[in-house]
Amino acid sequence: EAQVTQNPRYLITVTGKKLTVTCSQNMNHEYMSWYRQDPGLGLRQIYYSMNVEVTDKGDVPEGYKVSRKEKRNFPLILESPSPNQTSLYFCASTGQLGTEAFFGQGTRLTVV
Amino acid sequence: EDQVTQSPEALRLQEGESSSLNCSYTVSGLRGLFWYRQDPGKGPEFLFTLYSAGEEKEKERLKATLTKKESFLHITAPKPEDSATYLCAVQEVGGASKIIFGSGTRLSIRP
């Protein structure tokens, strides 16, 4: 089954404690993205990747890092989380530009 | 600046009462316009892609249309299970993998 898998689904952490949210896709897609979703603001792109070792900033990259060492994996790293990073995060992958994105189940992050 | 605006923010309909959701966009060149459905606590689920003005696509009770400045998602005789948030997104020509989402329309269908 084609899918994008994120882990963990829920995470509560403290300010400043580094964390990683993993994302893996099994469709051999070249393009992967991370989004955050906040009430009233919709989905905003954090980072995207066009291929292995090729990443670029989206609209809200501050406080986040990503890496793309393998085609299937695209982890999101928060080096020093802050409460304003409390949000619902989604990973997505796309096979070709102009085609639909497949989304993961989401990770609800709370930073206290 | 590229923008995607959806209206209304929320819409409550009676079962069987048809209506339309609007997505207006501003991009220099459109690579594709997407409609997604999102249920609470879940990831967006793909519905349609539209590429050029005049294009239409249908799926069950949903029909999406596209002009040069906006897209409509028409819902005919909706059922309670159509209740969800509907998201519109655009990808610009030359914009690599950047996709801009609207804030969505929360649709509620009363039995």
Side-chain angles (χ1 to χ4, degrees):
Chain A
E1 180 190 352
Q3 59 185 7
V4 177
T5 303
Q6 294 177 229
N7 280 296
R9 292 290 312 278
Y10 302 93
L11 179 60
I12 301 174
T13 190
V14 297
T15 298
K17 185 176 181 181
K18 181 179 178 179
L19 66 92
T20 299
V21 183
T22 64
C23 174
S24 180
Q25 51 96 1
N26 64 0
M27 295 166 279
N28 201 37
H29 284 170
E30 290 189 357
Y31 301 93
M32 298 185 74
S33 299
W34 275 103
Y35 297 86
R36 62 178 288 173
Q37 187 172 37
D38 302 290
L41 295 177
L43 278 159
R44 293 179 293 168
Q45 197 171 41
I46 302 170
Y47 268 95
Y48 60 91
S49 169
M50 291 160 281
N51 213 325
V52 174
E53 303 290 3
V54 182
T55 63
D56 206 350
K57 296 177 181 179
D59 293 319
V60 287
E62 294 77 19
Y64 304 94
K65 283 177 57 176
V66 293
S67 69
R68 187 97 180 269
K69 293 185 170 55
E70 303 168 282
K71 198 171 187 179
R72 64 184 297 136
N73 297 323
F74 190 44
L76 179 70
I77 302 156
L78 284 72
E79 296 261 353
S80 183
S82 62
N84 64 11
Q85 292 178 298
T86 292
S87 187
L88 180 58
Y89 291 85
F90 289 101
C91 178
S93 74
T94 307
Q96 298 178 21
L97 289 179
T99 63
E100 72 271 24
F102 292 80
F103 285 81
Q105 325 92 298
T107 295
R108 187 168 293 282
L109 172 66
T110 302
V111 183
V112 298
Chain B
E1 181 183 335
D2 298 339
Q3 277 194 314
V4 179
T5 304
Q6 292 188 245
S7 62
E9 286 187 18
L11 182 61
R12 296 188 70 184
L13 300 172
Q14 199 69 34
E15 183 173 2
E17 181 185 0
S18 301
S19 188
S20 297
L21 313 182
N22 177 263
C23 171
S24 62
Y25 63 93
T26 306
V27 292
S28 54
L30 182 69
R31 184 188 295 276
L33 183 142
F34 308 90
W35 282 98
Y36 291 87
R37 169 192 170 126
Q38 186 176 24
D39 293 301
K42 295 190 174 182
E45 180 183 326
F46 171 74
L47 292 173
F48 304 108
T49 308
L50 301 166
Y51 295 104
S52 56
E55 190 174 359
E56 299 182 352
K57 289 192 177 172
E58 285 189 67
K59 180 180 179 180
E60 296 181 355
R61 296 177 290 283
L62 300 176
K63 179 180 177 180
T65 62
L66 181 66
T67 72
K68 287 187 177 180
K69 293 187 176 182
E70 57 190 352
S71 176
F72 292 92
L73 185 65
H74 307 278
I75 302 177
T76 302
K79 298 181 178 182
E81 53 262 40
D82 294 322
S83 298
T85 295
Y86 290 85
L87 302 172
C88 172
V90 300
Q91 189 170 50
E92 187 179 21
V93 172
S97 187
K98 184 171 181 177
I99 299 177
I100 304 169
F101 278 84
S103 298
T105 294
R106 286 192 319 278
L107 178 65
S108 176
I109 310 298
R110 300 189 301 272

